[in-house]
Amino acid sequence: MGSKTLPARKDGRVIIHFDYDCFYASVFEAKNPALKSLPLAVQQKQIIVTCNYEARRRGLHKLQLIKEAKKICPDVIIELGEDISPFRDASKELYNFVKAFSWNQRVERLGFDEIWMDTTDIVEYNLETLNRHDLENSFFQLSRDDPTAGFSFDASVLAGHKYPKDYIYPGNPDDVVDNLTFRLRLGSHLALYIRHQLEQQKGYTCTVGISTSKLLSKLVGNLNKPKGQTTLMPPLSQIDGQSNNNVIKFIDDHEVGKIPGIGFKLSQKLRDFYLGRPAEYDKGLIYGGRPEPVKVAELRNHPDVNPEMLEKLLAGPGSPHGIGYKIWCLLNGIDDTEVGQAKAVPSQISIEDSYIRLDTMPEVLRELETLAKSLIRRMHKDLVADDDDVIEEVQSETTTSSSLASKKWLAYPKTVRLSTRPRPALRPDGTRPRSFKRLSHSAPLPRFIFSLSTNIDSLADRLVNEVLIAMFRKLHPEKQGWNLSLVNLAVTNMAETAGVTKTASGRDISHMFKKQDDVLRDFRVTDFTPPPDSGSPRVEDLEEIDGGLDEHIEDKVYTEGDWDSEGDEDYEGRESLWADTGGIQSL
DNA sequence: CTGGGATAG
DNA sequence: ATTTCTATCCCAG
């Protein structure tokens, strides 16, 4: 039977999604702050991959041709962004910075510029310690161990923007706020604080979404960029039909392909179904007109659409089991996936390059050498640490200073994988079938690669001659006739060494707390005195003013000595921020 | 475990 | 971001 049942929503969580503003451009700005006020674009090949907001104000945009950009904005400053290692380094540094605020270590990175953090435990703790009778003068605890670590804030309001924009609390302003609303409110203040620290300490601004799932936090953040944060307000589940359900209201006018998890293939199938005709794509349209958009609402409300039907429509060889049900959940704004635990080492490191033409063995050898060298360098960078950075029972007591520090592998990859992408042969009619399929082959990674005293060139040389050539022959037994458009080299199957744990469980926790303390030390509020009688500057107002580009977070919010009240100006909308016990009980 | 596919930025 | 260069998760064998 075509049931449209859904799982109960898991709205006990508070998840924050961070997205750094124009990340590549910000990396250059962070190194050279003078660039911040100038139009700045980052170039890869002949295009601008990203540009700062000053450049956008002057009409530049992502994926624009360099020539075009220079015509529109002759004084644009162009930085080369083809070497991505500075971006990778900055990403890692910022990730570690944000991670230091986490207690449960559920901090997951997506690409270089996005992070999810599950702050449920921190929020829950603060929910318990809060004085409900003096919300305006609240103190947010950033550490369980140190009650002085934290910041003061006004818990009677939510920080930042809300969805819907004209949100009004449906309950009685004189009563106690319901727990769901309160958790989100606490999450919003934590988000604002971390954003503030990111900007002050690291020089990066970001855009943030706050909600109860990865899906919703990521999507809702898009509403106010750059330098903004948005919280998806309750009610999140149905009470009296769908009209007052903000999840449905929010997700409904997204194009299906914009939903994370619904990628190219799935949205193609869903679109074809809804439009009632087979795919009519790729008619030589390089930069072609976008296919007609299909909205989430249109699909979900279609009489034939239900989990079983979606399963039939979308399931195929290799597709995840229960895909129909999962997509149905996404169309209803439901996503129960957990924020991943922070990992000490990546599960894979890969290097690849693409080629116009690669069809002779000597060329292949040269490329394999190049890739192997890069790969080994990456392994050293990501998998090797100073000995005294690694916690080990015996060692931590014997190691003295960092001057004697030796290097140690955090993990030994067990497998090396070689992948190629053959350029498909010409068809009889002379056209070339577009294919991006890859061939791959794996083999044990030889132990010699872990020698830290041998120079990288010789290691790469041995790897190519003793392993990679044989693997290449497996993929391409013919002497010639092939033509590769891509070669990829990867190491996988990481075996972590002692002293490094995958998760934050067990004895690694002390390591994590140490890191948190390192970060907190610099901006701990030592002698907190509540403001006389108004509140701290209202984060609400600071955000809502938001003219856009030049708006920045008031840096006085969290510092001492600034509590002399400038009185209560304009508390517009205050009543709407209070809530009652009646109405909504989320759990 | 291996090899391939889908998805993401 | 179907283009490039990574990375992750999932499935069948």
Side-chain angles (χ1 to χ4, degrees), chain A residues 60-72:
Chain A
L60 304 194
H61 55 83
K62 290 179 180 175
L63 307 183
Q64 192 171 35
L65 284 170
I66 291 288
K67 288 192 74 170
E68 195 185 331
K70 283 181 170 165
K71 205 182 301 173
I72 295 170

Side-chain angles (χ1 to χ4, degrees), chain A residues 3 34 50 120 170 188 239-240 243 248 261 278 306 319 321 358 386 388 406 454 489 541-542 547 574 576:
Chain A
S3 75
T50 194
T120 307
S188 75
I239 331 173
D240 297 320
S243 58
I248 293 298
N306 58 55
S319 67
H321 283 144
L358 185 61
D386 287 338
D388 54 3
S406 58
T454 316
L489 200 52
D541 299 339
L542 296 173
R574 169 175 196 159
S576 71

Side-chain angles (χ1 to χ4, degrees), chain A residues 378-423:
Chain A
R378 276 292 305 285
M379 288 171 62
H380 284 179
K381 192 154 185 185
D382 293 355
L383 301 180
V384 177
D386 287 338
D387 215 349
D388 54 3
D389 282 352
V390 181
I391 294 182
E392 224 166 350
E393 310 81 89
V394 187
Q395 199 161 22
S396 52
E397 286 134 32
T398 56
T399 306
T400 51
S401 76
S402 59
S403 59
L404 288 173
S406 58
K407 301 286 188 176
K408 185 180 191 308
W409 288 92
L410 299 174
Y412 298 105
K414 295 198 286 281
T415 309
V416 57
R417 186 182 60 223
L418 176 66
S419 312
T420 64
R421 189 175 67 195
R423 207 177 302 281

Side-chain angles (χ1 to χ4, degrees), chain A residues 166-178:
Chain A
D166 57 358
Y167 171 84
I168 293 174
Y169 188 81
N172 182 339
D174 294 329
D175 288 333
V176 175
V177 180
D178 70 276

Side-chain angles (χ1 to χ4, degrees), chain A residues 529-547:
Chain A
T529 15
D533 99 60
S534 75
S536 56
R538 303 188 62 82
V539 289
E540 187 77 7
D541 299 339
L542 296 173
E543 283 282 325
E544 303 289 358
I545 288 166
D546 196 340

